Amino acid sequence: MSQEVTQLVVLPPDDHAALLAAVKTLEGSNLAARIADYAGIPVNRVLNLLPKAANRQLSGLVRTAVMKGLEVAVDTLDEKPPPTPAITFSSFLAGVTGGVSGLFGFGALAVELPLTTTLMLRAIAEIARHQGEDLSNIEARLACLEVFAYGTKRTDENVDVGYYAARALISKYTSDAAAYILERGAVDASAPVISNLVSEIVSRFGLVVSDKAAAGAVPIIGAAFGATVNVIFMDHFQKIAKGHFTVRRLERVHGSAGVRQHYAVIAAGLAPRRGVATA
């Protein structure tokens, strides 16, 4: 019995290069590694100092921030953008809020995190527009919110939590939430479809926020570097957004199946180097 061989679609050189960059970002991104690189110390030392998961109090703050982001995504992300994308200015503002958080400690996170999340979401929306997304579409606006779920590469019991695995799950929640919002015309936090989407994003985004919050407790970094850590934090998600929306753009042009095949081939080739990069 002959075995069918699936041919890869041919990607133009520019599109292949864009996908390669996206895979490197989406499968190899690690906030703790970037903080360690900034601090000039081994990443393992940082990882040993950072908590493995958000505690209950931090999880509540993250949920509040994600709910705020959801409201912004639904209500205002389709507004006409400024003539020039304000990504750099958003990073500057995030640095300022991070500096405030660094000065006043964990207690300031309740004010700083929702503000920083909103700034990041607007910067993510600009990246989405640049990659051809129509933000008058609720699904595209919720895809901006999804970015917060793709910023961590930790695994639990060797479960595959790569980009496409995470996206398959989160997109189901996003699709259900989009249908609900279109029908009701508003966000109801108590609705199961909304709660499920927020909870899934919180469970992933919270891990990255946990690293960020703990960075101020690492002596070599210290509270004085809160602003820099926040800029690193924001830049991290801007890179994730560029990767995410690059993949979506290429899928619109070349089809989801073909792009996913290329993605898998590239990711398999990068897998050994990923382990070295984040060690």
Side-chain angles (χ1 to χ4, degrees), residues 206-219:
L207 295 173
V208 187
V209 174
S210 176
D211 286 354
K212 172 191 174 296
V218 177

Side-chain angles (χ1 to χ4, degrees), residues 23-261:
V23 175
K24 286 180 178 178
T25 296
L26 294 167
E27 298 297 330
S29 190
N30 186 311
L31 182 68
R34 297 192 65 192
I35 292 171
D37 184 60
Y38 164 75
I41 57 178
V43 67
N44 283 344
R45 182 177 169 192
V46 171
L47 290 172
N48 288 336
L49 290 167
L50 301 184
K52 302 303 179 187
N55 59 35
R56 185 172 299 177
Q57 184 180 3
L58 184 57
S59 182
L61 296 179
V62 173
R63 188 174 189 89
T64 299
V66 172
M67 275 304 306
K68 174 64 177 175
L70 177 59
E71 292 167 3
V72 170
V74 171
D75 294 336
T76 65
L77 278 192
D78 61 337
E79 292 177 352
K80 186 177 179 181
T84 303
I87 292 174
T88 302
F89 183 61
S90 296
S91 295
F92 167 75
L93 290 178
V96 171
T97 60
V100 172
S101 180
L103 286 174
F104 293 100
F106 185 84
L109 200 61
V111 176
E112 180 258 315
L113 185 60
L115 178 57
T116 300
T117 302
T118 300
L119 290 171
M120 288 196 296
L121 188 59
R122 294 196 178 282
I124 288 166
E126 292 305 306
I127 293 168
R129 284 191 180 96
H130 183 71
Q131 294 292 337
E133 297 284 344
D134 177 7
L135 294 186
S136 66
N137 184 319
I138 184 64
E139 187 274 337
R141 300 204 297 274
L142 292 182
C144 294
L145 190 68
E146 287 178 14
V147 168
F148 295 119
Y150 303 138
T152 178
K153 299 311 302 173
R154 294 181 187 176
T155 61
D156 295 320
E157 298 179 355
N158 296 320
V159 174
D160 177 11
V161 289
Y163 167 72
Y164 266 110
R167 183 175 158 191
L169 175 63
I170 295 164
S171 293
K172 173 65 169 64
Y173 291 135
T174 300
S175 177
D176 291 345
Y180 176 88
I181 292 166
L182 284 172
E183 180 184 345
R184 301 296 179 93
V187 174
D188 179 359
S190 65
V193 291
I194 300 298
S195 181
N196 288 342
L197 172 63
V198 171
S199 295
E200 187 62 32
I201 294 175
V202 167
S203 70
R204 297 164 187 269
F205 184 44
L207 295 173
V208 187
V209 174
S210 176
D211 286 354
K212 172 191 174 296
V218 177
I220 199 167
I221 299 175
F225 296 101
T228 301
V229 169
N230 232 34
V231 170
I232 293 172
F233 180 63
M234 188 162 190
D235 184 64
H236 173 75
F237 281 102
Q238 288 177 3
K239 284 180 166 60
I240 295 293
K242 184 177 179 181
H244 175 50
F245 288 110
T246 292
V247 171
R248 284 172 58 95
R249 172 177 62 80
L250 294 175
E251 288 175 343
R252 290 193 296 272
V253 175
H254 302 289
S256 298
V259 172
R260 183 165 184 165
Q261 282 182 310

